Amino acid sequence: MAPTSTPQTPFGRVLTAMVTPFTPDGALDLDGAQRLAAHLVDAGNDGLVVNGTTGESPTTSDAEKAQLVRAVVDAVGDRAFVVAGAGTNDTRHSLELARAAQDAGAHGLLAVTPYYSKPPQEGLLRHFTAIADATDLPVMLYDIPGRSGVPINTETIVRLAEHPRIVANKDAKGDLGRASWAIARSSLAWYSGDDMLNLPLLSVGAVGFVSVVGHVVTPELRALLDAHLNGDVTKATEIHQKLLPVFTGMFRTQGVITTKAALGLQGLPAGPLRLPLVELSPEETEQLTRDLAAGGVQL
């Protein structure tokens, strides 16, 4: 059973969007996934998002996705929330993934805006509602127009928030003004989905993070969050500024690529990438090492 949730923090406060470890030959590494999940929860994560973008969901099969959820739930599901990515640009396929995630023991669903198709807002409303209706699990929307091509407009967010199982939003829109209005007008728990904006989003009402850099700096993210909650703006700002090289370095190229490289530098399970993603060059690895060191990450 997962930790107790509240309406304000339905999935806890600090979550990492976990990579999917693969074996050297490119197969799913379930043992590695369990070891990485345990490491991340030990580091201070309240929850993990699996089968998301950082989990290379476009290149894992439906069967692999279910196996991964089950393995991570078995490893840490009694002490952390396991949220499963179920969103695609095909509503019927998304419903199948949602039901499979529930059957595998997930505690919640992450539903990204349908990508490539560029549906209108009414299409988004019906898509997310169908996912929320498909299972008994709470749903976190994922608003990332840079990848999907379409934002979830504030009016749509407000309407979706009326659904009893749509409880949160992962915001990677990069627009603090629109986030402010959506937080003020909806009941959704707001999670930063853009590490560089973790602190700014807290300042306008976010409750926590779904982080990529949490793979390497979860304790620092927790300290930043605690400082903010305790009203110590100076300390929160100091931590934010200390982490700027990490925020920058982990996104000099596609985040999965740098994250797996960083985990490899730390001797943690990660493994290779699946095409079309490719490993860092030696020069890029050297730059990442410098960036992480500048942010205080021990390698």
Side-chain angles (χ1 to χ4, degrees), residues 31-149:
D31 177 69
Q34 290 186 316
R35 288 187 286 120
L36 179 59
H39 166 80
L40 292 172
V41 175
D42 290 344
N45 280 283
D46 300 316
L48 301 172
V49 174
V50 299
N51 295 329
T53 306
T54 311
E56 295 180 75
S57 59
T59 56
T60 56
S61 69
D62 290 5
E64 288 175 324
K65 288 178 172 65
Q67 291 169 354
L68 183 64
V69 171
R70 191 169 290 109
V72 173
V73 169
D74 287 346
V76 300
D78 59 339
R79 58 195 182 106
F81 297 97
V82 179
V83 181
T88 72
N89 63 344
D90 175 350
T91 303
R92 288 185 296 178
H93 187 200
S94 300
L95 304 188
E96 292 170 0
L97 291 175
R99 294 176 184 126
Q102 178 171 256
D103 291 344
H107 304 127
L109 302 173
L110 180 73
V112 71
T113 314
Y115 40 85
Y116 188 76
S117 304
K118 290 191 173 182
Q121 294 298 305
E122 181 63 26
L124 298 185
L125 183 73
R126 295 187 195 183
H127 173 82
F128 289 125
T129 299
I131 293 174
D133 286 341
T135 77
D136 299 323
L137 298 177
V139 175
M140 179 188 292
L141 307 174
Y142 184 12
D143 187 9
I144 183 166
R147 287 186 181 274
S148 69

Side-chain angles (χ1 to χ4, degrees), residues 240-274:
H240 169 75
Q241 292 177 348
K242 175 188 174 184
L243 292 176
L244 288 175
V246 181
F247 297 154
T248 298
M250 291 286 280
F251 293 99
R252 287 187 186 274
T253 185
Q254 210 271 0
V256 184
I257 297 173
T258 48
T259 299
K260 284 198 164 182
L263 290 172
L265 290 169
Q266 292 187 314
L268 291 166
L273 299 128
R274 288 183 176 175

Side-chain angles (χ1 to χ4, degrees), residues 206-257:
V207 302
F209 322 130
V210 178
S211 174
V212 173
V213 303
H215 284 90
V216 293
V217 291
T218 288
E220 290 81 359
L221 293 179
R222 173 68 66 182
L224 186 157
L225 178 64
D226 289 345
H228 173 81
L229 293 174
N230 291 329
D232 193 340
V233 176
T234 299
K235 182 177 180 181
T237 303
E238 288 174 352
I239 297 169
H240 169 75
Q241 292 177 348
K242 175 188 174 184
L243 292 176
L244 288 175
V246 181
F247 297 154
T248 298
M250 291 286 280
F251 293 99
R252 287 187 186 274
T253 185
Q254 210 271 0
V256 184
I257 297 173

Side-chain angles (χ1 to χ4, degrees), residues 135-216:
T135 77
D136 299 323
L137 298 177
V139 175
M140 179 188 292
L141 307 174
Y142 184 12
D143 187 9
I144 183 166
R147 287 186 181 274
S148 69
V150 176
I152 312 175
N153 289 346
T154 300
E155 292 298 331
T156 307
I157 289 171
V158 172
R159 292 175 67 187
L160 287 167
E162 297 172 0
H163 195 291
R165 283 188 293 281
I166 298 178
V167 300
N169 182 58
K170 178 185 176 184
D171 182 358
K173 189 177 281 175
D175 189 325
L176 292 172
R178 293 172 81 174
S180 298
W181 272 113
I183 292 168
R185 295 187 56 208
S186 76
S187 58
L188 297 183
W190 215 260
Y191 290 85
S192 171
D194 184 342
D195 280 304
M196 186 66 83
L197 296 183
N198 284 346
L199 181 57
L201 278 166
L202 288 179
S203 74
V204 298
V207 302
F209 322 130
V210 178
S211 174
V212 173
V213 303
H215 284 90
V216 293

